Amino acid sequence: MFQALQRRSSKLSVLRQARNQQPRITYSSRRRYASSGEGSKGGSGKPSGDFSDQVEANKDNPISRTLKLIGNDVQRMKKFILPSSYTNPGAKGDSPDSAHSIENYLERYRRDGFQSHCDVLVIGGGGVGSSIAYWLKKRARQGLNVVVLEKDATYAQASTCLSVGGLRQQFSIVENIQMSLYGADFMRNSRDYLGDDVDLNFTPHGYLLLASEAGAEQLEQNSKLQCALGAKNELLTAKRLKERFPWMNTEGIALGCHGLEKEGWFDPWALLSGFRKRAIEYGAHYVEGEMVGFGFRQQPDILAEGIEEGSYEGIDRAFVKMKDGEMREIKFAIAIIAAGAQSGAIAKMARIGTGKGMLSIPLPVEPRKRYVYVFQCENDQGPGINTPLTIDPSGTYFRRDGLGGNYLGGKSPLPEEEPPVDNLDVDHTFFDKTVWPNLAQMVPAFEAIKVKNAWAGYYEFNTFDENGIVGPHPYYNNLYIATGFSGHGIQQTPAVGRAVSEMIIDGGFRTVDLTRFGFDRIIVDQPMYEANIF
């Protein structure tokens, strides 16, 4: 497998790479001297043979020779910059308007600021992608040209904006706990990172996870690990739960874990906007367009498992469909797939899952639709404003939403209940038949509630083990992945963005070691499951 691509410390690295990809041309005067010591007729000391006139001119006019070299370089660079659909003016078969078309093309790029080349291309401008751009530009500034490709600048269907915005450390995997602790510290100091104009509206009321007798031991073990890593929570028996939260029905509940610090919920749109705004201020370029494919190039000097020697093909450009339908091309040194629920489809464009050898293994990320329901309790008799985000053993959750008496709630469907993902329509019968009965069992006051609003969003669901995939792809030495967080990605965006920037700039993880979250675990079939609480 390949090591991670060494960091590009200068914008010129992309241009140098482009130059290296062009056919190498060796300029030679082929001079043959006719002196007494070099065996040429006449002994005049001047070049002889078919190239004598050319060599004489070159020898006497070094400026012309230099201009010729520069001209060839310019032509090669023009071929690199222009898409294949634009031919060189003056070539055989060109139309009279060819030169004018090329000038129009270049002028349009100059006018709209389109970045046709970059050091790092981030595919996906949601929470994860914008965090990556933010950290890269915060740390490198002028050292890296970063372009973020986002198909919808309104983020109308972005998973980030449609999430509940929870923050918790109540996991069973060390890396998930560490990433969420880092996220909590980031949000506590968000004004230092994102500026005084960004308010994340963090509500520090914690999480409350409830376990039945079957899951009590696992919940206790998780709590010990979390506290050992720096989280702060408390275990509550059924009796203590009832004393602390009198609105709760504790029948069937053996134990609860209540987060005391660094847990709660926040405004995910504010976090995304903060990342994006600061990244742009630091010099990142956002392009609104749809990723439709990768460009490949032969790299015969690279050997890869399962690939015939000399047949390796790398990726070096992305094809983008703009909002007006025009197709454009972005050449990159490094690409990062951070496209959320669409990451699996983007990976297929790079032949991941459809190729040979390591490319035969797909990126196991797909969209899964989830519903969020907004409801009110009759006569406002429900839990108070300081109620934690509460999750029962079935996975049904609720929390307060603002001061107007609203609550948010929902539940992930069982595998056999998964809804279609071709739209974001809300299934209200799912609430009536599945969510509401569980809510009423947990909170008797929820027997009388009224749904006021609802929406649907996509999880970037990792079908392999429901955890994030972060790191380089083992086949492509310039492709990184940051996706598959399966519902808890927004709280981990600060840590994931930082981790990806460390891989590219430092050559490895420095803050949170996410080595175990790499793509390699999929190849060797070693899933990392969260220990579920029942």
Side-chain angles (χ1 to χ4, degrees):
M1 299 186 182
F2 302 111
Q3 300 295 323
L5 187 64
Q6 296 296 320
R7 138 179 103 143
R8 266 69 174 173
S9 61
S10 169
K11 297 178 183 179
L12 295 176
S13 61
V14 180
L15 300 180
R16 293 192 190 104
Q17 184 184 37
R19 287 280 303 273
N20 291 337
Q21 294 171 16
Q22 303 301 325
R24 294 188 179 274
I25 300 176
T26 301
Y27 295 94
S28 173
S29 63
R30 305 189 190 181
R31 288 181 288 185
R32 288 176 290 181
Y33 292 94
S35 63
S36 58
E38 295 184 33
S40 180
K41 289 183 180 180
S44 65
K46 293 184 178 181
S48 63
D50 297 335
F51 299 93
S52 59
D53 293 337
Q54 175 186 345
V55 172
E56 185 70 17
N58 283 343
K59 182 182 72 173
D60 295 336
N61 193 351
I63 295 178
S64 296
R65 185 169 57 202
T66 301
L67 291 175
K68 180 179 179 181
L69 296 177
I70 294 174
N72 284 324
D73 282 351
V74 169
Q75 289 299 320
R76 288 202 299 276
M77 189 57 63
K78 185 177 290 186
K79 291 178 182 178
F80 175 63
I81 294 175
L82 295 175
S84 57
S85 58
Y86 285 81
T87 58
N88 290 325
K92 185 177 180 180
D94 275 352
S95 67
D97 295 330
S98 179
H100 184 65
S101 297
I102 291 176
E103 182 57 34
N104 286 344
Y105 178 87
L106 294 174
E107 175 59 28
R108 185 168 66 255
Y109 270 47
R110 288 191 291 265
R111 185 174 62 250
D112 63 17
F114 183 81
Q115 298 291 306
S116 59
H117 300 75
C118 63
D119 295 317
V120 181
L121 174 65
V122 183
I123 304 168
V128 173
S130 290
S131 175
I132 293 170
Y134 162 80
W135 281 112
L136 284 172
K137 292 304 295 181
K138 179 179 176 63
R139 301 186 66 211
R141 297 296 172 96
Q142 301 304 317
L144 287 173
N145 181 12
V146 177
V147 172
V148 182
L149 178 62
E150 170 56 45
K151 68 177 181 180
D152 180 15
T154 69
Y155 295 95
Q157 296 187 357
S159 300
T160 297
C161 305
L162 298 174
S163 71
V164 175
L167 172 65
R168 63 184 169 102
Q169 289 84 54
Q170 296 193 48
F171 294 100
S172 64
I173 294 177
V174 170
E175 290 87 345
N176 280 332
I177 299 169
Q178 291 174 326
M179 283 194 286
S180 291
L181 283 169
Y182 184 87
D185 290 338
F186 181 93
M187 292 181 199
R188 185 174 63 249
N189 301 292
S190 61
R191 294 184 185 275
D192 295 335
Y193 288 108
L194 302 178
D196 292 336
D197 57 332
V198 177
D199 186 357
L200 300 182
N201 296 304
F202 181 66
T203 304
H205 293 331
Y207 266 62
L208 176 60
L209 269 62
L210 304 175
S212 64
E213 193 67 42
E217 183 179 356
Q218 183 65 61
L219 185 64
E220 183 176 2
Q221 291 177 2
N222 292 352
S223 174
K224 291 179 179 178
L225 175 62
Q226 294 149 16
C227 292
L229 291 172
K232 188 173 182 180
N233 55 50
E234 61 178 349
L235 293 171
L236 302 172
T237 63
K239 181 181 178 180
R240 292 185 62 195
L241 283 168
K242 189 65 176 179
E243 293 171 352
R244 182 75 63 84
F245 308 107
W247 44 261
M248 181 187 301
N249 173 24
T250 58
E251 182 182 354
I253 302 299
L255 195 65
C257 186
H258 180 214
L260 299 174
E261 294 181 1
K262 302 181 181 180
E263 290 193 342
W265 52 92
F266 59 94
D267 183 351
W269 169 246
L271 180 61
L272 166 58
S273 299
F275 279 138
R276 178 187 168 104
K277 184 176 182 180
R278 294 286 94 82
I280 292 173
E281 286 183 0
Y282 294 155
H285 303 275
Y286 275 70
V287 173
E288 186 175 14
E290 182 181 0
M291 177 78 179
V292 296
F294 284 98
F296 300 84
R297 64 184 177 90
Q298 289 284 342
Q299 293 179 277
D301 56 326
I302 294 181
L303 303 178
E305 181 180 339
I307 301 298
E308 184 180 349
E309 183 176 349
S311 64
Y312 178 90
E313 286 187 308
I315 53 175
D316 65 349
R317 58 196 184 278
F319 301 116
V320 180
K321 183 178 181 181
M322 307 300 290
K323 296 293 286 186
D324 60 3
E326 180 185 4
M327 298 298 297
R328 291 191 178 184
E329 181 179 296
I330 302 175
K331 294 198 174 185
F332 57 79
I334 295 172
I336 304 167
I337 297 177
Q342 304 306 317
S343 295
I346 299 296
K348 285 184 179 179
M349 298 177 189
R351 302 173 182 166
I352 297 174
T354 63
K356 298 179 180 179
M358 285 182 285
L359 287 178
S360 65
I361 300 172
L363 178 63
V365 177
E366 63 185 34
R368 294 283 178 91
K369 187 160 68 172
R370 296 293 181 263
Y371 308 117
V372 180
Y373 303 93
V374 183
F375 58 91
Q376 286 186 337
C377 189
E378 187 176 275
N379 300 322
D380 197 23
Q381 296 299 308
I385 60 174
N386 61 346
T387 299
L389 193 156
T390 306
I391 307 175
D392 75 0
S394 75
T396 303
Y397 70 89
F398 80 92
R399 70 164 172 84
R400 290 283 299 222
D401 186 40
L403 302 176
N406 288 338
Y407 299 85
L408 300 182
K411 179 185 183 300
S412 293
L414 297 173
E416 60 271 16
E417 298 173 336
E418 286 289 351
V421 296
D422 56 345
N423 61 65
L424 285 177
D425 296 340
V426 176
D427 182 0
H428 288 276
T429 62
F430 182 75
F431 179 84
D432 295 337
K433 295 181 178 180
T434 304
V435 179
W436 191 2
N438 293 336
L439 288 173
Q441 171 67 23
M442 181 169 34
V443 185
F446 285 166
E447 286 281 1
I449 59 177
K450 182 177 181 180
V451 175
K452 308 292 289 186
N453 192 13
W455 70 84
Y458 293 121
Y459 272 9
E460 51 184 278
F461 193 81
N462 175 2
T463 61
F464 182 68
D465 59 13
E466 299 182 37
N467 274 300
I469 303 170
V470 182
H473 188 270
Y475 180 87
Y476 296 111
N477 59 6
N478 64 337
L479 179 65
Y480 291 81
I481 298 168
T483 188
F485 299 97
S486 304
H488 47 261
I490 184 61
Q491 63 187 300
Q492 297 177 344
T493 53
V496 171
R498 174 83 188 192
V500 174
S501 76
E502 290 171 349
M503 284 189 291
I504 293 173
I505 295 174
D506 304 314
F509 299 115
R510 296 292 184 268
T511 306
V512 179
D513 188 350
L514 299 181
T515 302
R516 294 201 303 162
F517 272 25
F519 193 91
D520 290 355
R521 78 179 192 270
I522 301 170
I523 295 177
V524 298
D525 194 22
Q526 291 184 354
M528 294 178 60
Y529 293 113
E530 278 289 335
N532 293 323
I533 308 300
F534 299 100

